[in-house]
């Protein structure tokens, strides 16, 4: 198979496209779309988001050290794109998009009511890395929409049609190809 060699760059696609909500000290809410978010550690539960210093959200995150990661879905794709291209300097994104700010249990930042999963976070460390600073954060609480729970209390995020971002486009996650450990099970799936 022939391959081309490209200059160094970030080609780790697809990425979760998440909506990160926050609250300024003044009480004003803001939302930013983040493509560079991920799990860092299971115990203690930690995540990271990376933000450019020039973004409106950057000083808010530095000052409050709190945010909520809100998972995105097919129904939130317009809001996901909008919050990535419109600045909180210019517009109240909650009001403009008709999104519902819900008080968190652990942080002052609001959850987005329309998101199926909300992860409350407190910043542990900020690491300047170059074009972006990484906000390493402890997960304080996770909220899951009961609409996606089955009778056995199993959560079905796939029913919310989560989205990912790849090379400038948003995609809905598709069919399950197997569950963890299926490759070593006798029946295959």
């Amino acid at each position: 198979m022939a391959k081309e060699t490209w200059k160094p760059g970030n080609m780790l696609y697809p990425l979760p496209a998440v909506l990160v909500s926050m609250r300024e000290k003044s009480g004003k809410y803001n939302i930013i779309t983040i493509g560079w978010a991920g799990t860092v550690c299971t115990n203690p539960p930690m995540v990271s988001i990376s933000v450019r210093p020039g973004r409106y959200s950057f000083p808010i995150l530095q000052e409050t050290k709190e945010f909520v990661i809100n998972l995105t879905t097919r129904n939130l794709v317009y809001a996901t794109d909008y919050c990535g291209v419109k600045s909180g300097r210019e517009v109240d994104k909650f009001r403009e998009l008709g999104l519902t700010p819900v008080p968190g249990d652990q942080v002052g930042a609001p959850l987005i009511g329309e998101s199926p999963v909300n992860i409350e976070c407190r910043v542990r460390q900020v690491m300047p890395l170059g074009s972006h600073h990484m906000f390493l954060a402890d997960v304080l609480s996770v909220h899951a929409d009961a609409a996606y729970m089955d009778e056995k209390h199993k959560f079905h995020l796939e029913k919310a049609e989560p989205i990912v971002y790849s090379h400038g486009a948003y995609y809905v996650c598709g069919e399950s190809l197997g569950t963890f450990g299926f490759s070593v099970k006798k029946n295959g799936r």
Side-chain angles (χ1 to χ4, degrees):
M1 177 186 301
K3 296 205 179 218
E4 293 183 18
T5 301
W6 295 350
K7 68 178 183 171
N10 295 322
M11 291 295 294
L12 189 60
Y13 288 111
L15 300 167
V18 298
L19 293 171
V20 174
S21 51
M22 63 204 68
R23 187 182 86 176
E24 295 181 31
K25 291 280 188 187
S26 69
K28 180 183 172 189
Y29 296 150
N30 190 45
I31 308 168
I32 184 174
T33 300
I34 299 286
W36 294 352
T39 299
V40 174
C41 189
T42 302
N43 191 11
M46 296 173 67
V47 294
S48 70
I49 61 172
S50 293
V51 182
R52 288 190 320 266
R55 296 294 298 258
Y56 177 72
S57 299
F58 184 84
I60 301 169
L61 292 167
Q62 278 198 308
E63 181 180 19
T64 65
K65 306 239 184 303
E66 296 180 342
F67 59 89
V68 177
I69 294 176
N70 304 275
L71 299 190
T72 55
T73 63
R74 178 189 294 270
N75 290 339
L76 288 170
V77 70
Y78 181 88
T80 302
D81 187 65
Y82 186 90
C83 290
V85 296
K86 284 291 196 178
S87 173
R89 286 182 189 99
E90 303 161 0
V91 64
D92 177 339
K93 297 176 192 178
F94 274 97
R95 190 180 71 234
E96 187 71 22
L97 295 166
L99 296 174
T100 309
V102 176
D105 294 336
Q106 303 292 319
V107 300
L111 304 115
I112 296 175
E114 292 75 12
S115 172
V117 175
N118 319 91
I119 305 166
E120 293 186 66
C121 304
R122 181 160 297 122
V123 175
R124 176 186 284 218
Q125 184 179 359
V126 181
M127 291 176 262
L129 300 173
S131 62
H132 290 67
H133 285 38
M134 184 173 73
F135 290 81
L136 181 64
D138 292 304
V139 173
L140 305 178
S141 183
V142 177
H143 306 264
D145 192 329
Y148 302 106
M149 296 285 189
D150 67 17
E151 62 282 348
K152 294 180 181 176
H153 204 68
K154 181 178 178 190
F155 187 67
H156 291 276
L157 180 60
E158 73 279 2
K159 291 183 178 180
E161 300 184 284
I163 62 171
V164 294
Y165 180 81
S166 183
H167 280 359
Y170 302 95
Y171 296 91
V172 173
C173 294
E175 69 181 282
S176 172
L177 301 176
T179 58
F180 179 77
F182 83 96
S183 64
V184 297
K185 289 183 183 174
K186 294 223 185 244
N187 296 339
R189 280 192 177 208

